[in-house]
Amino acid sequence: MESRLTGKVVLITGATAGIGRSTAFGFAKMGCRLVLLVRNAEKGEALKKEIQEKYDVEIKLLIVDVRDAKGIEAAILGLPEEWKKISILVNNAGLAYGLDKVYKAEIDDIDTVIDTNIKGMLYVTRVVVPLMLEYKMEGHVINLGSIAAVSAYAGGAIYCATKAAIKLLSDGLRIDLVDTPIKVTNIQPGVVETGFSLVRFKGDKERADAVYRGIEALTPDDVADTIVYAANIPHNVQLTEITMTPCHQADGRCIHKEVK
């Protein structure tokens, strides 16, 4: 695909693993300048080095947790002037903890999931979008939702609710920006084989592996390719929502697995 994105500044949250990592490589391939917002400095530096060994692109690291509203604001507004001209924001950071019934969920788990998935997205967006407007950018906000937003599944209600919030926040933001040159896209993947389940099950690898057993899940690269495609189409075209699943997944609850 020919790049319309060369030289544009792209900010990606949760960039060191899974979909965020693949998205960073995808935009680097297109010749973009990257602002990678990560929690772990060591992993961030390793990713930066790995990308720059493959692609000749400039990269800035912001070491901050998306749950830290003041830290987010200071980090982004502290960027050099040219780096504040962000064309594309990918709100990727997100997670799930456990498969507990709503009334059995741990308080810390509830806070972490809601603070990361919803408030983190809002904290970043409320800083970046005003910059897009200030610099009159043909901007694009791309939010990572989930097919889980469409219908709840057993043990996943809190996570599903956060992704339903992302869908409605994306729709609302699109309405708020309808008179501007800023587009908003909500990406809703189904089963993607990443470290997501390992985080959800707090390091229980056997339980995490079982999620992907018997189905050819989407890969992080599959989702990243879709994100980059959505960002790279002509600016007069806005893809408002993209729902994508593996071949043997019909929706958030109907999955066919081959038992061998």
Side-chain angles (χ1 to χ4, degrees):
M1 184 192 306
E2 182 181 350
S3 178
R4 301 172 183 270
L5 305 173
T6 303
K8 291 189 175 181
V9 177
V10 181
L11 191 156
I12 304 167
T13 68
T16 56
I19 294 169
R21 173 187 168 85
S22 289
T23 300
F25 274 95
F27 279 113
K29 184 178 180 180
M30 289 295 190
C32 298
R33 293 182 291 161
L34 305 180
V35 179
L36 305 181
L37 199 152
V38 304
R39 288 187 301 166
N40 186 299
E42 185 177 346
K43 289 181 179 179
E45 290 291 348
L47 176 61
K48 177 180 177 179
K49 181 180 178 182
E50 191 176 347
I51 293 172
Q52 290 182 323
E53 284 175 350
K54 190 170 184 180
Y55 301 109
D56 183 21
V57 295
E58 295 178 272
I59 300 175
K60 293 283 188 188
L61 291 178
L62 299 181
I63 314 300
V64 61
D65 193 315
V66 293
R67 295 175 293 173
D68 179 0
K70 291 183 179 178
I72 288 292
E73 187 169 24
I76 295 173
L77 295 183
L79 285 166
E81 196 73 11
E82 284 303 305
W83 284 88
K84 290 180 187 175
K85 297 178 181 179
I86 298 164
S87 292
I88 300 161
L89 166 61
V90 182
N91 280 310
N92 165 74
L95 78 171
Y97 276 153
L99 275 175
D100 296 318
K101 296 178 186 293
V102 171
Y103 57 88
K104 291 185 176 180
E106 297 289 338
I107 292 294
D108 286 348
D109 290 354
I110 293 170
D111 288 346
T112 300
V113 173
I114 290 176
D115 289 351
T116 303
N117 295 5
I118 302 176
K119 292 164 71 175
M121 170 266 187
L122 290 170
Y123 292 160
V124 177
T125 300
R126 67 174 293 278
V127 180
V128 173
V129 169
L131 290 176
M132 290 179 173
L133 293 169
E134 179 183 345
Y135 290 109
K136 297 180 170 57
M137 308 301 296
E138 288 189 341
H140 197 166
V141 178
I142 301 175
N143 295 323
L144 258 293
S146 170
I147 198 170
V150 180
S151 57
Y153 56 81
I158 295 169
Y159 173 74
C160 293
T162 66
K163 291 305 181 178
I166 293 300
K167 171 181 169 53
L168 290 178
L169 288 167
S170 298
D171 292 345
L173 181 61
R174 195 179 307 111
I175 292 167
D176 291 342
L177 293 170
V178 72
D179 59 344
T180 78
I182 301 173
K183 301 191 287 188
V184 181
T185 299
N186 180 30
I187 307 287
Q188 297 189 140
V191 177
V192 187
E193 188 163 1
T194 66
F196 175 87
S197 291
L198 195 62
V199 173
R200 162 170 261 171
F201 299 125
K202 300 182 179 178
D204 187 336
K205 189 174 187 305
E206 184 176 347
R207 195 176 178 191
D209 288 347
V211 173
Y212 311 109
R213 195 172 298 130
I215 185 172
E216 185 179 352
L218 297 173
T219 68
D221 287 350
D222 292 332
V223 182
D225 286 347
T226 302
I227 291 168
V228 173
Y229 171 78
N232 195 39
I233 59 176
H235 193 74
N236 66 305
V237 181
Q238 178 174 218
L239 295 174
T240 59
E241 189 169 282
I242 301 173
T243 301
M244 55 189 297
T245 67
C247 185
H248 293 301
Q249 181 177 14
D251 58 26
R253 292 179 287 194
C254 183
I255 300 172
H256 172 72
K257 293 188 175 184
E258 296 286 347
V259 180
K260 296 182 180 180

